[in-house]
Amino acid sequence: MKALMWRRPAGRLIVVAAIAACSPLDQDKVAARVNGEKILAEEVDLALQYKGVAKHDPTARQRLVEKLVIEELLAQQFLRGTPGSALVEKSAVSAARREILARSYIETLVGRVPRPTAEQMSAYYRDNPNMFARRRIFTLRQLDVSAAPSRHAELRRRVGGAESLDALADWLRRENIRFVRTDLERGSDELEGNLVAQLDGLKKAEVGVLDTSSGLRVIQLVRTRPAPIDEKTASPSIEQRLWREMRVAAVEAEVSRLSGMAAISIPEGAPRGAMQALVPDPDPPLARRITGVAPPSVKAPGG
């Protein structure tokens, strides 16, 4: 019998996970047992792969097995002492299975997307002059205002009549409207295209208002200066940016293809047609977890 054991100072948790009474074949398949429940070697391999660690790294493997043993102990205690835990367990297993398998498929899918060619990178440089050839640095002052929608119109009027951003901030304090003030400097390649277009419409020291998910953003343009980037200098960032966009596009295309062949219905509403294409939910999509890039805005099915 082999045992995996580690101890902590007196008064702390002492955990002993035994791999016992296993045949040689079982030894290859079972990483540990906790009160008779198996932790499979396949689980360890999958977790290591997801973390980007070689599965034959003994130190990383042992550390992960110890972590899984503690998790299993806590899970067993939850199941023993929590009413309705069986339903929670079933739902958790179902959700974890769906997410893990979907993520694994996306990783396989994006792994097949080739890096952009030199021609594609040159075209990207030419098609996005504000990011490169006509790149600028914007110095901004902004207030992120958490105001109720009923006060948005009033706030917009105040912005139009305010002597300065400081005067507007004073008014917000008097009205007990929460806001966060930020001074920042960003290149046009770091800003969303629609924001760059709006900033282009502002004069120096002029103030504009943008809608955000949590309220309104008041922006004052302090100054702007040119900071172009030539194609050779931009090539490494273009390659990474374009490759991410290509991988997101590949995921969206595959989801659309699969949903076009599937019969999909939403319990809260009317059944959707089998040909209605779906795209990943942007908050947060699996595509973003894998590639680091958010897909374009999403329309509701059938919308």
Side-chain angles (χ1 to χ4, degrees):
M1 180 179 74
K2 297 176 68 176
L4 172 65
M5 181 182 298
W6 70 99
R7 295 178 180 274
R8 297 183 180 179
R12 294 192 179 182
L13 177 66
I14 300 176
V15 180
V16 178
I19 304 175
C22 298
S23 67
L25 180 61
D26 287 337
Q27 292 282 10
D28 292 336
K29 292 184 177 181
V30 178
R33 291 180 189 270
V34 181
N35 296 325
E37 291 292 331
K38 297 178 182 178
I39 296 175
L40 300 179
E42 292 177 356
E43 297 177 55
V44 181
D45 291 342
L46 183 63
L48 289 172
Q49 179 183 353
Y50 179 68
K51 293 175 180 292
V53 179
K55 65 181 181 180
H56 299 300
D57 182 334
T59 302
R61 192 177 189 83
Q62 179 176 334
R63 189 179 301 119
L64 180 59
V65 169
E66 294 174 357
K67 177 178 179 291
L68 294 176
V69 166
I70 293 176
E71 289 179 352
E72 179 61 30
L73 282 170
L74 297 174
Q76 290 180 15
Q77 184 60 30
F78 172 78
L79 292 173
R80 280 194 296 267
T82 306
S85 59
L87 181 59
V88 174
E89 179 186 25
K90 183 178 179 181
S91 299
V93 169
S94 177
R97 170 189 173 276
R98 181 168 51 248
E99 182 175 356
I100 290 170
L101 294 179
R103 183 186 296 124
S104 297
Y105 183 63
I106 286 180
E107 288 177 344
T108 301
L109 183 66
V110 299
R112 299 186 189 131
V113 177
R115 288 182 177 272
T117 64
E119 291 77 12
Q120 289 173 314
M121 292 166 59
S122 292
Y124 193 89
Y125 181 88
R126 292 193 304 271
D127 293 343
N128 294 277
N130 285 336
M131 293 172 59
F132 306 112
R134 296 202 297 268
R135 177 177 179 266
R136 285 157 296 160
I137 299 294
F138 293 96
T139 302
L140 307 170
R141 300 172 66 199
Q142 68 181 38
L143 304 177
D144 285 305
V145 184
S146 300
S150 60
R151 305 205 66 177
H152 285 190
E154 180 186 8
L155 180 57
R156 289 179 183 278
R157 288 195 298 271
R158 285 281 177 176
V159 169
E163 297 179 357
S164 66
L165 205 66
D166 292 331
L168 180 63
D170 290 339
W171 178 80
L172 291 170
R173 291 189 189 96
R174 290 195 301 271
E175 295 294 315
N176 292 318
I177 298 175
R178 292 186 303 165
F179 68 92
V180 176
R181 177 172 173 169
T182 310
D183 296 336
L184 67 157
E185 192 172 77
R186 293 286 186 272
S188 54
D189 55 321
E190 301 175 272
L191 302 172
E192 296 179 4
N194 61 341
L195 177 55
V196 173
Q198 293 186 62
L199 291 175
D200 282 340
L202 295 180
K203 299 177 183 178
K204 183 178 179 180
E206 194 174 2
V207 176
V209 184
L210 303 175
D211 289 306
T212 68
S213 58
S214 58
L216 294 176
R217 176 171 295 166
V218 182
I219 295 181
Q220 182 180 43
L221 178 61
V222 178
R223 60 180 173 272
T224 180
R225 58 184 172 84
I229 302 177
D230 61 66
E231 185 173 348
K232 182 178 180 181
T233 303
S235 289
S237 64
I238 289 177
E239 182 181 31
Q240 292 303 315
R241 186 190 297 264
L242 183 55
W243 196 27
R244 288 195 299 266
E245 291 180 3
M246 292 165 64
R247 287 181 287 176
V248 169
V251 172
E252 292 177 338
E254 180 66 357
V255 171
S256 294
R257 184 186 73 84
L258 293 174
S259 62
M261 299 185 298
I264 301 172
S265 63
I266 300 177
E268 291 79 6
R272 307 295 183 177
M275 297 303 293
Q276 294 288 351
L278 304 177
V279 292
D281 183 347
D283 188 26
L286 289 173
R288 185 174 193 148
R289 296 180 194 174
I290 301 303
T291 65
V293 172
S297 58
V298 178
K299 285 187 176 182

